[in-house]
Amino acid sequence: MTQPLSKANFTGSVLGVSAPPKPGMLHLGIGNFHRAHAAVYTAKAMAAQGGDWGIVAVANRSRRVVGALDAQDHLYSILELSSAGERVDVMDVHRKTLVAAEQTDQLIAQIADPAIKVVTMTISENGYCRHPVTGDLDVDGAQISADLADPANPRTSIGQLGAALIRRYSDDAGPLTILSCDNLVSAGHTAHKMVGQYLQATATPSGFHDWFTAQVTFPNAMVDRIVPGTTDATRAKVEQLLGLTDAIPVPAERFSMWVIEDKFAAGRPAWEEGGAIFSDEVEAYELVKLRLLNGSHSLISYLGGLDGQPTIPSSFGQDFVRECVTELLNTEYLPSIGLPSGFDPQAYIAQLFDRWSNHALGDATARVGSDGSLKLLQRVPDPALRMLDLGEVPQQLALMVAGWIACVCPPDGFDPGPIAAEMIEPAKERLAAATAGAGSTRAHVEAIVRGGFFPEALAQRDEFTERVADFVQIITTSGVRDAAKAALDARRA
């Protein structure tokens, strides 16, 4: 029987620094993406320049990953998959684990520890507790209102950060940087706004807000690496390559990019040694990634899911999907972005086409299509409104919204198929309640677009809602390929 991955059993070199350094960072949301992205840059930084930048890994509720990390002496592997073949690296960068829901007091104390200089987080769009229409902190929502009622025992990441910052101030523990690694427009500004509004809504000691303004920074950052879910095939391939069993290997593409605003209140790792880019144009890079990669990813997933394609490469391999994505990129997304200095958009798009065609990675269509109610808020309204204001209906953005509706909240009598059934949608109950009793496809679509799932500015644009309804009608009666053809023909007419 193969031995488990551990420091006693693994005799090869690790990416990072074995044993010390001590923790200087804490990460909220210890999922696959963090372990294949920021953790890698941190390991490379420590290997190059040292420093006490070990990471305290914090899971929200699940003990699966932290339990495996503890059992494996905090080692885990990253399996890079590309057309050139596979390679595996063993990581050693985490120094301690916590589960926030079970160890809230320890988490707050750890963030308040003066040794912690940087808190990074991948808590997903849902973790910021933003109101979908106003964009402010949803103080009346069940999660935040519960934290405000019992601020000593917060359950959300926003509430936990708020409590920890108050303790850090009270203990005179020094400045701190909170760095969002989520796919959000102006992620640092968003994190700052949500934490700041939480702190305004709860009791704080005298002088706290001045300290918060002067001593806590929230840099913007753009993160980019495709990291699918771990499968049995991942585990089997790692076991073959390492000769050891890793319970939590992470599959990832070879490509990785991190662009960061250099606003750190108490120092940072030398992430540039791992290839990170420090720039004053982070928000431009964010829009490039959020629209060209992430927005196109959503369109690929919904068209491919409705076409029965299990992976992103198989979806993108369909001619109608590739044509729709090309149209989306060149006519609806690129004109909406002020590009970073020296950026070559066509070279980036060519690279995207190669990444989306990576069959070795085999990213699941259902994974990419999950959480659409949160993702589409970042990917549809602004570029759609830009075109509508110019007198044009954004055909592919409307098709994207129609595909999402058809996949996760289809009109009665339409079955979107097994791939769509696997998509996770946090707003599923709200969507069902909003569309209950809709007597037609158009009424069904109007109940969603005008029901608080999109900003009011877009919901008021009848021409957009009507086009989404047209596409849902075509999808449910003739199929997704005919809907795609209608979107392409409308643009070419």
Side-chain angles (χ1 to χ4, degrees), residues 124-125 130 182-185 223 286-302 312 328 332-333 336-337 356 367-385 394 396-398 400-401 404 453-455 458 464:
S124 80
E125 291 93 337
R130 286 187 303 170
D182 283 301
N183 286 320
L184 300 171
V185 175
V223 297
E286 283 179 332
L287 286 178
V288 165
K289 194 258 180 163
L290 285 165
R291 292 181 186 168
L292 303 191
L293 170 60
N294 296 134
S296 300
H297 237 175
S298 289
L299 183 60
I300 294 167
S301 70
Y302 298 130
I312 292 299
L328 173 69
E332 300 185 16
Y333 271 156
S336 75
I337 302 170
W356 291 328
R367 185 195 75 83
V368 177
S370 293
D371 300 328
S373 58
L374 301 168
K375 292 175 178 177
L376 295 192
L377 283 174
Q378 304 290 323
R379 305 171 187 183
V380 171
D382 286 350
L385 285 167
Q396 299 303 327
L397 290 168
M400 187 191 305
V401 174
W404 167 65
F453 297 95
F454 292 94
L458 184 60
F464 184 75

Side-chain angles (χ1 to χ4, degrees), residues 81-369:
L81 297 163
S82 72
S83 57
E86 308 99 0
R87 58 166 287 171
V88 64
D89 287 311
V90 173
M91 298 288 300
D92 186 10
V93 68
H94 298 93
R95 296 293 173 261
K96 183 178 180 179
T97 62
L98 293 170
V99 178
E102 300 173 9
Q103 299 169 287
T104 309
D105 287 343
Q106 294 97 311
L107 170 60
I108 291 170
Q110 189 75 69
I111 297 174
D113 186 333
I116 298 298
K117 309 295 186 185
V118 178
V119 172
T120 55
M121 54 187 183
T122 46
I123 57 176
S124 80
E125 291 93 337
N126 197 40
Y128 292 82
C129 302
R130 286 187 303 170
H131 192 283
V133 174
T134 67
D136 290 327
L137 184 69
D138 191 5
V139 293
D140 296 321
Q143 292 179 302
I144 293 296
S145 60
D147 280 3
L148 292 173
D150 187 13
N153 299 288
R155 314 312 288 171
T156 69
S157 296
I158 299 300
Q160 289 156 1
L161 285 168
L165 288 169
I166 292 170
R167 186 179 300 185
R168 194 174 179 99
Y169 168 74
S170 299
D171 293 349
D172 194 22
L176 182 71
T177 294
I178 298 172
L179 175 60
S180 171
C181 300
D182 283 301
N183 286 320
L184 300 171
V185 175
S186 301
H189 294 160
T190 299
H192 191 184
K193 181 179 180 181
M194 298 305 107
V195 174
Q197 289 183 343
Y198 180 87
L199 290 165
Q200 290 290 342
T202 195
T204 57
S206 176
F208 171 80
H209 289 288
D210 289 341
W211 173 86
F212 176 72
T213 299
Q215 298 293 308
V216 184
T217 59
F218 293 80
N220 285 313
M222 184 277 277
V223 297
D224 191 359
R225 194 177 198 186
I226 297 173
V227 182
T230 301
T231 66
D232 288 341
T234 309
R235 284 180 278 269
K237 176 56 69 173
V238 167
E239 184 173 340
Q240 176 189 336
L241 294 173
L242 282 184
L244 297 169
T245 300
D246 182 358
I248 50 167
V250 181
E253 66 174 336
R254 182 160 295 176
F255 178 91
S256 184
M257 189 176 186
W258 199 8
V259 184
I260 314 168
E261 190 178 18
D262 205 353
K263 289 173 52 179
F264 290 81
R268 60 167 175 81
W271 284 316
E272 59 269 34
E273 295 287 350
I277 300 168
F278 286 89
S279 172
D280 294 330
E281 296 183 284
V282 171
E283 291 180 78
Y285 280 102
E286 283 179 332
L287 286 178
V288 165
K289 194 258 180 163
L290 285 165
R291 292 181 186 168
L292 303 191
L293 170 60
N294 296 134
S296 300
H297 237 175
S298 289
L299 183 60
I300 294 167
S301 70
Y302 298 130
L303 298 183
L306 291 165
D307 198 51
Q309 303 297 331
T311 68
I312 292 299
S314 64
S315 299
F316 191 62
Q318 307 306 307
D319 288 344
F320 81 97
V321 174
R322 185 179 290 254
E323 289 177 28
C324 286
V325 170
T326 300
E327 187 72 17
L328 173 69
L329 287 166
N330 289 314
T331 68
E332 300 185 16
Y333 271 156
L334 267 179
S336 75
I337 302 170
L339 297 172
S341 302
F343 184 82
D344 183 344
Q346 293 307 320
Y348 182 78
I349 288 172
Q351 193 175 47
L352 287 178
F353 278 34
D354 183 63
R355 295 168 69 190
W356 291 328
S357 303
N358 186 351
H359 287 275
L361 193 66
D363 200 5
T365 304
R367 185 195 75 83
V368 177

